[in-house]
Amino acid sequence: MRLSIAPSLLEIQNLRFAYPDQPALADRWSAAIGEGVTLLYGDTGSGKSTLLRVLAGQQPASAGQLRAAGVALDAEPAAYRRQVFFCEPASEAFDALSVQACTALLGEGDAGFDNAEWQRLVEAFSLVPHLEKQMFMLSTGSRRKVGLAAALASGRPVVLLDDPVGALDARSIHGLWQAIERRVAQPGRAVVVASSERVTEVPLAACIELPLG
């Protein structure tokens, strides 16, 4: 495991997570994730999605501490979650909302949300004809694009992406990596990409491989 030497935006200390009667996904794992792109690499079913939910503060760890942009999850959970963007790709929570309403909800409380970047991504992802549609009406790929556009336009320091290229067309994949590069070119921005494929499209600041310990 190679860790970034950039200033730490996501600090992980002695993290442990395990489902009952299952081997631990992380056992006393510590890391400091800095600016740039960090690849969270593991086979399908290795627990990458679960670990992202833990890092997002959406699923409790068995032990350990998390700190995002200097904010500790255990001390200030709401403030911690405002430092981290994570949208579950398969979530049905937004089904009844239009694309625009879903985006507004995902960007709630995000004072640094970049509307110009969001519009650029909407066009790159061919979402313009779908903005008034309810989320349940969209294909799997288009639903993912809505979350990705909100994520990469977010002003939050840490963005967690779960298999971001899944179900995307080639044009959208190209636009995705371009947007990630634009994002991490800005100071104080970290993107964690969970994938079962090696990432070669953008330079990596770090690669973390599962299992963790």
Side-chain angles (χ1 to χ4, degrees):
M1 178 174 64
R2 180 172 63 86
L3 297 181
S4 171
I5 60 173
S8 177
L9 292 170
L10 182 59
E11 299 175 43
I12 303 147
Q13 296 181 348
N14 296 319
L15 188 73
R16 176 177 171 77
F17 181 88
Y19 287 112
D21 303 319
Q22 296 291 325
L25 297 179
D27 191 7
R28 297 186 63 80
W29 174 50
S30 296
I33 295 174
E35 297 175 355
V37 180
T38 294
L39 172 65
L40 179 62
Y41 176 77
D43 291 337
T44 300
S46 61
K48 300 183 298 297
S49 298
T50 298
L51 188 60
L52 288 186
R53 289 194 291 271
V54 172
L55 296 180
Q58 296 183 4
Q59 187 158 339
S62 307
Q65 294 184 321
L66 294 170
R67 186 180 296 270
V71 180
L73 174 61
D74 56 353
E76 301 177 84
Y80 176 94
R81 295 184 186 102
R82 287 196 295 270
Q83 310 307 312
V84 181
F85 186 103
F86 177 65
C87 177
E88 191 82 47
S91 174
E92 298 178 355
F94 310 112
D95 278 1
L97 300 178
S98 70
V99 169
Q100 289 184 319
C102 175
T103 301
L105 184 60
L106 290 171
E108 195 172 68
D110 187 350
F113 190 88
D114 188 339
N115 284 295
E117 179 65 6
W118 178 78
Q119 186 62 51
R120 181 186 294 184
L121 285 161
V122 163
E123 294 172 2
F125 291 161
S126 302
L127 286 173
V128 174
H130 306 301
L131 292 179
E132 300 300 329
K133 293 179 182 178
Q134 290 176 291
M135 291 287 288
F136 79 89
M137 299 172 66
L138 304 184
S139 67
T140 299
S142 292
R143 288 167 64 94
R144 280 182 170 268
K145 292 174 188 178
V146 174
L148 289 169
L152 295 171
S154 173
R156 298 174 186 181
V158 180
V159 165
L160 310 176
L161 301 180
D162 190 5
D163 187 23
V165 302
L168 296 193
D169 56 276
R171 178 177 181 268
S172 295
I173 290 173
H174 180 67
L176 167 72
W177 293 119
Q178 285 188 321
I180 289 174
E181 282 198 287
R182 287 195 300 271
R183 181 174 182 83
V184 298
Q186 304 172 57
R189 298 293 178 92
V191 176
V192 178
V193 175
S195 177
S196 57
E197 303 288 338
R198 295 290 184 180
V199 169
T200 59
E201 291 83 357
V202 295
L204 295 179
C207 179
I208 298 171
E209 298 193 26
L210 277 67
L212 303 168

